[in-house]
């Protein structure tokens, strides 16, 4: 099944202003686009995210930690806290800025931040589409493990 987006926007990190609405062709850009344009982030919505209990996903290059990061809301209950954090710790490469997960009580959603560089198999040579697919695989595997 091909990965499709229902929304794809390049935005300014400072102002969060939309710089451009992109088409699916933009997904074929190398992920290094974000490193070359560190003032931007990519906002995407996809049914593939929804299927993995994820809200929209923001991809950016984190200049502080020098890693590609994915930020998204995860629709899971607060009670999975220990298992969720243990999964992230045990299944991501140990590195500064590899992940964070905080429960946002008002919204009833987890705010998750994962460094793509910490996901097994990520090289930095991927297209943006491949990076999204790698993230979806990781989250899908995590959900499977949390349901055990």
């Amino acid at each position: 099944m091909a990965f499709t987006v229902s929304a794809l926007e390049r935005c300014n990190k400072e102002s969060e202003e939309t710089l451009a609405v992109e088409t699916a062709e933009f997904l074929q850009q190398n992920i290094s686009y974000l490193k070359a344009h560190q003032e931007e982030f990519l906002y995407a919505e996809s049914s593939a995210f929804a299927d993995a209990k994820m809200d929209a996903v923001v991809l950016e290059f984190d200049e502080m930690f020098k890693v590609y990061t994915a930020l998204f809301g995860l629709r899971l209950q607060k009670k999975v806290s220990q298992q969720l954090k243990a999964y992230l710790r045990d299944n991501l490469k140990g590195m500064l800025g590899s992940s964070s997960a905080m429960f946002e009580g008002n919204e009833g959603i987890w705010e998750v931040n994962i460094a793509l560089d910490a996901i097994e198999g990520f090289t930095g040579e991927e297209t943006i589409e491949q990076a999204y697919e790698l993230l979806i695989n990781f989250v899908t595997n995590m959900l499977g493990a949390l349901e055990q």
Side-chain angles (χ1 to χ4, degrees), residues 8-20 22 26 33-34 37-44 57-61 69 71 132:
L8 186 63
E9 299 174 2
R10 285 189 302 112
C11 304
N12 180 286
K13 280 186 189 177
E14 296 274 316
S15 65
E16 297 194 3
E17 161 192 358
T18 299
L19 301 172
E22 295 293 347
F26 190 80
Y33 174 90
L34 294 170
H37 300 86
Q38 293 182 23
E39 70 285 355
E40 295 181 16
F41 67 84
L42 205 52
Y43 171 90
V57 176
V58 166
L59 284 186
E60 65 180 30
F61 184 78
T69 59
L71 301 90
Y132 280 127

Side-chain angles (χ1 to χ4, degrees), residues 2 4 14 36 39-40 45 49 52 55 66 71 73 79 81 86 102 111 115 119 124 130 133 135 144 146:
T4 57
E14 296 274 316
E39 70 285 355
E40 295 181 16
E45 294 175 7
F49 299 149
D55 280 353
K66 307 263 186 267
L71 301 90
K79 66 182 182 184
S81 180
M102 287 177 27
E111 292 179 353
I119 297 176
Q130 290 167 329
E133 288 169 345
L135 177 67
L146 294 179

Side-chain angles (χ1 to χ4, degrees), residues 44-84:
E45 294 175 7
S46 171
S47 59
F49 299 149
D51 293 344
K53 299 184 188 246
M54 302 162 73
D55 280 353
V57 176
V58 166
L59 284 186
E60 65 180 30
F61 184 78
D62 183 320
E63 52 277 347
M64 192 166 97
F65 292 113
K66 307 263 186 267
V67 293
Y68 295 97
T69 59
L71 301 90
F72 55 92
L74 190 60
R75 291 183 302 283
L76 290 176
Q77 294 180 313
K78 186 177 183 178
K79 66 182 182 184
V80 304
S81 180
Q82 282 185 302
Q83 301 96 305
L84 174 64

